[in-house]
Amino acid sequence: MRSLLLAAVLTLTACAQSSVKDDSLYRELGEQAGITRIVEGMLLNVAGDPRIVRHFENIDIERLRDKLVEHFCVDAGGPCTYTGDSLEESHKGLGLTPSDFNALVENLQKAMTAEGVAITAQNRLLARLAPQRGQVLDR
């Protein structure tokens, strides 16, 4: 009977632990304030990047900043909710290429480095963003 009870407790404990959200990347990025600084830095980098700046003309940059902060926060395991359009919808018809995507990633990396984000944390965020590449590029 004791071993059955112990097994039940261990099973319930394991289930409870597996439902706990891992927010370690969110914390490593500096939580909400850090992610906001990273996004703002990335957008400033983009503003000076002739390879991709044209894609950001005539858009509501404040709304873009807010949606990117939400998106990165969710991807990092933070306590946020993304309220924007789907990636497919928001990038539809823009004609984005792999080179455009790579340039944006470079600008994101520069912003994270400027914020002192460790390379391991940068790589973790990029690994979570990478699968979304196909939702952004025109096919």
Side-chain angles (χ1 to χ4, degrees), residues 70-138:
E70 288 176 2
H71 193 271
F72 288 0
C73 178
V74 169
D75 285 338
C80 308
T81 301
Y82 178 68
T83 61
D85 296 329
S86 70
L87 291 177
E88 292 93 344
E89 187 62 33
S90 60
H91 294 89
K92 187 177 182 178
L94 296 179
L96 299 175
T97 67
S99 294
D100 296 327
F101 185 85
N102 293 342
L104 185 67
V105 170
E106 288 174 24
N107 286 297
L108 172 57
Q109 288 175 296
K110 287 179 189 175
M112 288 191 289
T113 298
E115 284 299 315
V117 176
I119 295 294
T120 53
Q122 290 185 32
N123 289 338
R124 287 176 61 205
L125 179 62
L126 295 174
R128 292 181 186 188
L129 296 174
Q132 300 164 14
R133 181 177 183 261
Q135 298 168 21
V136 172
L137 300 181
D138 273 0

Side-chain angles (χ1 to χ4, degrees), residues 1 4 9-10 15-16 20 24 41 51 55 60 63 67 70 103 106-107 112 117-118 120 122 125-126 135:
M1 181 68 169
L4 185 58
V9 169
L10 290 175
C15 289
V20 173
S24 61
R51 299 173 297 173
H55 294 298
D60 181 344
R63 182 178 191 283
K67 298 308 160 196
E70 288 176 2
E106 288 174 24
N107 286 297
M112 288 191 289
V117 176
T120 53
Q122 290 185 32
L125 179 62
L126 295 174
Q135 298 168 21

Side-chain angles (χ1 to χ4, degrees), residues 51-77:
R51 299 173 297 173
I52 60 172
V53 69
R54 71 187 178 284
H55 294 298
F56 295 84
E57 295 170 349
N58 302 316
I59 62 166
D60 181 344
I61 201 72
E62 288 181 19
R63 182 178 191 283
L64 175 63
R65 180 202 60 212
D66 294 346
K67 298 308 160 196
L68 285 170
V69 169
E70 288 176 2
H71 193 271
F72 288 0
C73 178
V74 169
D75 285 338

